[in-house]
Amino acid sequence: VQLQASGGGLVQAGGSLRLSCAASGRTFSSYGMGWFRQAPGKEREFVGASRWSGGNIYYVDYADSVKGRFTISRDNAKNTVYLQMNSLKPEDTAVYYCAAARFRIPTMTSGVEYWGQGTLVTVSS
């Protein structure tokens, strides 16, 4: 599986961005998809992850720091997963990575099989 993340940019605090992660491969439906982020000088951390079955989401989890503000969704026809980020804060500034793991949900970096290349999100105060 190859992952291509996009959608990062500069936004003011309180604003919104939507990140996209396009996945290649015919077995996309068997992968749990997640998002991680890495701020300068910090370790990569979990943001959110989801797993689908039959086109319906049946598991989703988010880091406490983004609950209620970030939402993961998916377009099966495009093999694309999205991260909608609302009410952004300066502390959300980081490089965001999409991640995939077959038959499981990637909630830790050690559980990720595939990484996207990262997209930078900068939130100004």
Side-chain angles (χ1 to χ4, degrees):
V1 173
Q2 291 185 325
L3 305 176
Q4 182 72 35
S6 62
L10 174 64
V11 64
Q12 288 187 333
S16 298
L17 277 177
R18 189 177 78 161
L19 305 183
S20 300
C21 177
S24 64
R26 293 177 294 178
T27 59
F28 178 63
S29 61
S30 64
Y31 285 83
M33 301 297 295
W35 290 91
F36 291 75
R37 67 186 181 186
Q38 188 167 18
K42 295 187 177 181
E43 294 186 351
R44 194 169 298 187
E45 65 176 8
F46 171 72
V47 174
S50 290
R51 181 79 195 273
W52 290 264
S53 178
N56 298 312
I57 193 166
Y58 77 85
Y59 176 89
V60 62
D61 191 20
Y62 300 96
D64 288 343
S65 58
V66 307
K67 280 181 181 176
R69 300 188 298 121
F70 290 13
T71 304
I72 293 176
S73 63
R74 168 176 169 146
D75 185 332
N76 288 327
K78 296 182 178 180
N79 271 10
T80 299
V81 174
Y82 303 99
L83 180 68
Q84 178 66 43
M85 306 185 294
N86 299 328
S87 302
L88 283 162
K89 305 175 181 179
E91 51 263 43
D92 294 319
T93 295
V95 176
Y96 284 71
Y97 298 88
C98 60
R102 194 172 185 185
F103 299 132
R104 60 180 184 268
I105 301 155
T107 58
M108 296 186 297
T109 56
S110 59
V112 175
E113 291 186 67
Y114 302 97
W115 292 100
Q117 85 285 6
T119 184
L120 176 63
V121 172
T122 304
V123 184
S124 63
S125 57

